[in-house]
Amino acid sequence: MWLAVHYAEIALKGRNRPRFERLLSRNLERALQTFGRVRIRSLYGRLLVELGDGVPFEAVRERLERVFGVAYFGRVTVCEPAPEPIAKVAETLVSARGARTFGVRARRADKQHPFTSQELASEVGAHVVQATGARVNLTDPELWVEIHVLSRQALVFHERCHGPGGLPVGSGGRAVALLSGGIDSPVASHLITKRGCQLDFVHFHSSPYTGAASIEKARRVVALLARYQGTSHLHLVPFGTLQQTLARETPADPRIVLYRRFMLRIAEVVAGSAGALALVTGESLGQVSSQTLANLDTISRVAALPVLRPLIGMDKVEIIERARRIETYDISIEPDEDCCSYLMPSQPATWARPEELEEIESTLDVKGLVESAVAGIEVERVEPDP
Ligand code: ATP
Ligand code: MG
């Protein structure tokens, strides 16, 4: 089976294009290797992929819909770049589908041929009408026959499928995502992966002071997110002892902000060892009391790396819709004992100033607390959910 895979924005990247193409090829190969041998070559701004015969297209389609950087793709028949052989392929396609109406769209990537796209489309259309009895309809045909003419071959598409867009994973460097057991952070992670970043995941848990449900949820969520970026690393941070110290030694009101500051500090250490250049959270402006502009500011101040918050301007319904699409929603809504509900006051402050937090932290051994949490981190490799 042959596939043509077209990329989106990466075509615009000028001198970066070879690198982007290489990453996209590698990612396609990784996504398709389950079907056996994969051969990929780059031709006139698209990738031509060869898979063994008998591979089920629906399964291939599902995989390709998770490879960022793909704008659209389809199965293709490869033939000579001349009107007669192309017309024969089109005829076979129209009659195999039993289409009563069809339209032809032709495009030349190589303009050296002795026919224009328009001439080619008319000639192919006329042949198909004569051979099959189907009618031409250029507004809403049952089947579009899409033809791309390259220099030494022509590609005739069997269908045109939407890819997920975005940029190839790996093209945007690495980042560390703070992944809770909730709905938001998986969606935030997904959006950053879509922009080409490879993510490492950090999950804070209060086990053994609470149950380990949130850890299991995090593993399952990472397996779903890994469908888009391949085998992933999940860093499990024991947070309970630190929380107990904070609960004992600090006032209750700004505690959620204090927790978040410690989370960022610890995540930044992980980022350092993973070679990551940003942190990612699922915060959305005003969604809960810890996510006011003032609190977000006070939280961010402890990090030298940028904190990416891709959900910042999204409504909850929008976030939920995305969580459903990537299938993390059902896991996220399962009950757990999130570390944030452990030792948490019922009325968190909505306006915690940085100076106030700095004063509280000056009474603590911040460095030592961070170091001992980091020392307890366990790293797991998580394979993509099939
Ligand atoms: P989510 O749905 O992602 O849990 P949320 O709306 O519940 O988000 P908060 O609980 O305030 O918001 O958490 C804000 C962000 O802090 C989360 O999106 C996540 O990035 C990070 N975070 C919170 N708790 C944890 C945790 N236990 N482990 C890792 N990151 C966390
Ligand atoms: Mg949460």
Side-chain angles (χ1 to χ4, degrees):
M1 170 171 25
W2 291 88
L3 304 160
V5 176
H6 284 250
Y7 35 83
E9 293 170 60
I10 68 177
L12 307 172
K13 298 278 178 193
R15 288 190 305 141
N16 279 331
R17 183 158 140 184
R19 181 172 159 264
F20 278 67
E21 259 188 5
R22 237 179 1 258
L23 283 167
L24 184 58
S25 290
R26 182 202 69 183
N27 296 349
L28 285 169
E29 201 171 327
R30 207 190 270 164
L32 297 173
Q33 68 193 5
T34 169
F35 302 116
R37 202 182 58 132
V38 185
R39 284 178 52 187
I40 302 178
R41 64 194 165 120
S42 161
L43 270 180
Y44 289 90
R46 79 250 304 135
L47 296 169
L48 198 57
V49 180
E50 188 185 3
L51 295 176
D53 290 326
V55 173
F57 179 68
E58 276 314 308
V60 171
R61 177 180 186 149
E62 200 169 271
R63 295 284 165 149
L64 291 182
E65 282 169 350
R66 296 185 189 136
V67 180
F68 287 131
V70 175
Y72 70 94
F73 60 93
R75 253 176 311 183
V76 292
T77 297
V78 182
C79 67
E80 291 276 303
E84 305 81 61
I86 295 173
K88 282 267 179 267
V89 174
E91 175 196 333
T92 311
L93 209 58
V94 171
S95 53
R97 293 291 167 87
R100 284 160 303 175
T101 59
F102 73 99
V104 179
R105 283 187 180 128
R107 207 164 107 178
R108 292 172 311 157
D110 180 342
K111 312 273 193 225
Q112 305 298 318
H113 296 286
F115 48 83
T116 65
S117 302
Q118 194 49 53
E119 286 163 0
L120 176 66
S122 315
E123 190 169 338
V124 169
H127 173 86
V128 172
V129 169
Q130 193 254 325
T132 68
R135 280 178 301 112
V136 172
N137 175 341
L138 295 179
T139 45
D140 186 25
E142 285 174 32
L143 180 71
W144 275 113
V145 176
E146 183 165 339
I147 303 162
H148 292 186
V149 186
L150 315 180
S151 63
R152 274 180 294 176
Q153 59 271 86
L155 311 177
V156 184
F157 279 69
H158 299 205
E159 65 279 292
R160 186 193 241 260
C161 309
H162 287 290
L167 299 168
V169 171
S171 65
R174 305 184 76 91
V176 163
L178 285 79
L179 192 75
S180 69
I183 297 166
D184 302 336
S185 38
V187 176
S189 303
H190 182 73
L191 287 170
I192 297 300
T193 312
K194 183 172 180 185
R195 297 312 300 167
C197 287
Q198 179 92 36
L199 296 182
D200 265 43
F201 299 95
V202 175
H203 176 68
F204 298 88
H205 63 86
S206 313
S207 169
Y209 304 103
T210 64
S214 78
I215 298 178
E216 192 45 37
K217 283 174 65 176
R219 283 187 188 119
R220 286 156 63 206
V221 165
V222 170
L224 290 173
L225 297 172
R227 286 169 161 181
Y228 297 84
Q229 66 161 17
T231 306
S232 303
H233 290 102
L234 172 60
H235 304 253
L236 296 168
V237 187
F239 205 54
T241 307
L242 195 156
Q243 286 176 292
Q244 287 186 331
T245 307
L246 300 185
R248 201 169 53 235
E249 298 182 15
T250 67
D253 274 8
R255 194 170 296 145
I256 185 95
V257 176
L258 196 58
Y259 281 0
R260 291 281 179 273
R261 281 164 65 101
F262 274 93
M263 285 184 178
L264 285 196
R265 289 184 175 108
I266 293 164
E268 202 163 53
V269 175
V270 174
S273 60
L277 296 180
L279 307 175
V280 180
T281 75
E283 287 153 322
S284 158
L285 193 56
Q287 193 188 86
V288 291
S289 61
S290 59
Q291 298 174 15
T292 61
L293 213 44
N295 282 349
L296 292 179
D297 171 39
T298 302
I299 293 166
S300 301
R301 295 227 186 178
V302 299
L305 291 179
V307 181
L308 307 182
R309 298 182 165 104
L311 310 187
I312 199 71
M314 284 190 199
D315 292 340
K316 196 76 188 185
V317 276
E318 224 177 320
I319 297 169
I320 288 174
E321 193 199 313
R322 287 178 183 274
R324 286 215 163 94
R325 262 190 270 148
I326 59 173
E327 297 175 29
T328 54
Y329 181 77
D330 289 338
I331 300 172
S332 296
I333 59 172
E334 286 174 20
D336 63 16
E337 289 176 90
D338 186 70
C339 73
C340 299
S341 49
Y342 177 61
L343 302 177
M344 192 50 68
S346 52
Q347 288 276 306
T350 54
W351 197 268
R353 287 176 306 112
E355 304 79 55
E356 189 187 338
L357 271 288
E358 278 160 24
E359 199 179 313
I360 295 169
E361 287 170 356
S362 71
T363 68
L364 299 167
D365 173 17
V366 172
K367 193 159 168 276
L369 289 168
V370 169
E371 278 169 5
S372 56
V374 168
I377 292 180
E378 287 173 31
V379 187
E380 296 184 356
R381 272 167 66 93
V382 181
E383 298 300 329
D385 204 291

